[in-house]
Amino acid sequence: MEPLTEHRGVSGPVVYGYLRLVRVSPARQMALNEALAEYCRQHELTLSGVFTERDTGNEPSAAFTGLLDVLELPDTYGVVLPAASHLGPKDIAAPRQARIAAAGARLLLVRGPGRRRPADHGPTGPGPASVRRRFGPAPTPALDTET
């Protein structure tokens, strides 16, 4: 699908990426950066930079502090992340989400909440339990009443 503005030189809203990469290979880091760039391309956003955190501690990280600084710029629309887990563990992520919201920025997720990875379904796709959740209870077999 081509962007709506393919014939015009219009720049989209400015966003910044944020990655929390602890013990991640260079190939995985490159793939995550490419996922952010592709998401921004598809949604006609301008990815102005990516902040990368590599710390596992609970103290404030330089990467997140830098992100908060650019969110204060007048033309910044939001933050794009591969998934909410890139904000850190739950005890760190909740305050970070609140600080992003307080800055007036949008939090954009490439893989939104509740969406599963294909690996979560197993090699052949969703199993019977997930089908029952979507389509109701499994049908009861009909009893043969012919005598």
Side-chain angles (χ1 to χ4, degrees):
M1 176 159 94
E2 289 297 317
L4 295 174
T5 57
E6 75 264 11
H7 298 292
R8 298 184 203 153
V10 177
S11 65
V14 173
V15 296
Y16 290 87
Y18 190 78
L19 298 173
R20 186 169 192 267
L21 305 176
V22 180
R23 294 184 297 273
V24 172
S25 71
R28 176 75 174 146
Q29 180 177 350
M30 186 183 326
L32 289 169
N33 278 308
E34 289 173 4
L36 294 181
E38 178 61 19
Y39 177 88
C40 290
R41 187 194 68 74
Q42 288 177 354
H43 292 86
E44 299 182 356
L45 302 168
T46 300
L47 182 61
S48 292
V50 177
F51 291 87
T52 303
E53 177 182 338
R54 296 189 182 281
D55 300 330
T56 59
N58 288 343
E59 54 280 340
S61 75
F64 191 73
T65 301
L67 176 68
L68 291 175
D69 288 345
V70 298
L71 293 181
E72 297 298 326
L73 296 174
D75 293 334
T76 302
Y77 180 72
V79 180
V80 62
L81 297 106
S85 62
H86 280 265
L87 287 176
K90 289 181 183 180
D91 60 327
I92 297 172
R96 285 183 173 183
Q97 277 186 324
R99 292 191 68 188
I100 290 169
R106 296 192 182 254
L107 184 61
L108 308 166
L109 303 176
V110 172
R111 191 179 78 228
R115 289 179 54 189
R116 296 182 179 191
R117 296 181 206 173
D120 292 344
H121 294 304
T124 59
S130 64
V131 171
R132 282 194 299 275
R133 275 195 305 272
R134 287 189 307 188
F135 300 111
T140 306
L143 298 174
D144 187 11
T145 56
E146 199 173 298
T147 56

